[in-house]
Amino acid sequence: MTTTPDPQPPRTQRADAQRNRDRILEVARTVIGEQGTQASLRDIARRAGVGLGTLYRHFPTRDALLETLLGQRFDRLAEKAALIEDTRPPDEALTEWLREFTAGATVYRGLVTSMMATLEDEGSPLHASCLAMRTAAARLLERAQDSGHIRPDIDGTDLFALINAVGWIADQAPSIATRREHLLSLVMDGLVRHPAPARTTSPRQDAADHDQRGRRA
């Protein structure tokens, strides 16, 4: 007698589960953009057209949902940097990327602040995505420095400190969020490598002054 093997779960079940997960994330991005990180999970489930239990099966906690959203954002920013690295002039590529970074920080109000504590933790689910994003941005910065557009005494840590400050200020004071572009332009002005100050004396005079100081010594 031949034994019939146990039937495998239908592939459509896995496809439906993936669609539900994708839909939850899509709606969550919108709702969190409207309400901040404390947005109602029940409202997210309702607008996604799924039950609250389905949402919890995919994302057992609020932090799990936020981590996924922030990780996706980091991945998109890393991809964006790679895309424009060789297709835009160095200064334009860096400015465009920084503009997108700060825009996302104001859309997802409170998201970066709520998850920042986990970014330095190598065991965090966000660590790899954050590192890839920062590495990609550092390449844009180095390219702009090599071209002479950006001052050479800035590194990736300085850059992220500055642009995170812009995002944090806009996050804490919604009335300032409308001036995000202005704040970013001020940061960019500070990063630009300005020409060396014009000489006030001639090389001949400089040499004479040097000889005179030598004789006095």
Side-chain angles (χ1 to χ4, degrees), residues 128-172:
S129 294
C130 181
L131 181 61
M133 176 197 68
R134 292 172 67 103
T135 300
R139 288 198 304 269
L140 294 181
L141 173 63
E142 291 170 3
R143 183 167 171 259
Q145 289 173 319
D146 290 343
S147 70
H149 288 94
I150 300 297
R151 52 193 294 176
D153 59 339
I154 298 292
D155 63 16
T157 299
D158 298 330
L159 180 67
F160 274 94
L162 290 169
I163 60 176
N164 274 321
V166 172
W168 184 87
I169 291 171
D171 187 30
Q172 298 299 309

Side-chain angles (χ1 to χ4, degrees), residues 1-137:
M1 180 177 178
T2 303
T3 302
T4 303
D6 293 335
Q8 296 297 314
R11 291 183 180 274
T12 54
Q13 289 185 2
R14 290 194 291 271
D16 288 344
Q18 184 62 48
R19 281 195 294 270
N20 285 339
R21 185 179 187 278
D22 293 343
R23 177 61 178 162
I24 290 168
L25 289 171
E26 178 184 355
V27 171
R29 280 191 289 270
T30 300
V31 176
I32 289 174
E34 296 169 354
Q35 302 176 17
T37 56
Q38 296 305 309
S40 166
L41 298 184
R42 188 177 299 277
D43 189 28
I44 292 173
R46 179 183 60 79
R47 290 168 63 170
V50 301
L52 189 58
T54 298
L55 185 149
Y56 280 124
R57 278 196 296 275
H58 290 287
F59 306 102
T61 65
R62 179 185 298 274
D63 282 351
L65 177 60
L66 294 177
E67 284 177 350
T68 301
L69 288 173
L70 192 53
Q72 287 185 340
R73 177 170 177 257
F74 288 161
D75 291 342
R76 287 194 298 271
L77 285 167
E79 292 170 359
K80 172 77 172 183
L83 177 65
I84 64 178
E85 182 176 358
D86 297 321
T87 60
R88 301 281 196 283
D91 56 329
E92 292 180 12
L94 181 63
T95 302
E96 181 178 337
W97 190 90
L98 292 177
R99 183 175 290 115
E100 184 158 334
F101 181 95
T102 55
T106 54
V107 169
Y108 298 115
R109 302 188 313 260
L111 184 56
V112 173
T113 301
S114 68
M115 304 308 301
M116 191 59 68
T118 69
L119 298 185
E120 299 300 326
D121 178 9
E122 293 186 4
S124 165
L126 291 174
H127 182 76
S129 294
C130 181
L131 181 61
M133 176 197 68
R134 292 172 67 103
T135 300

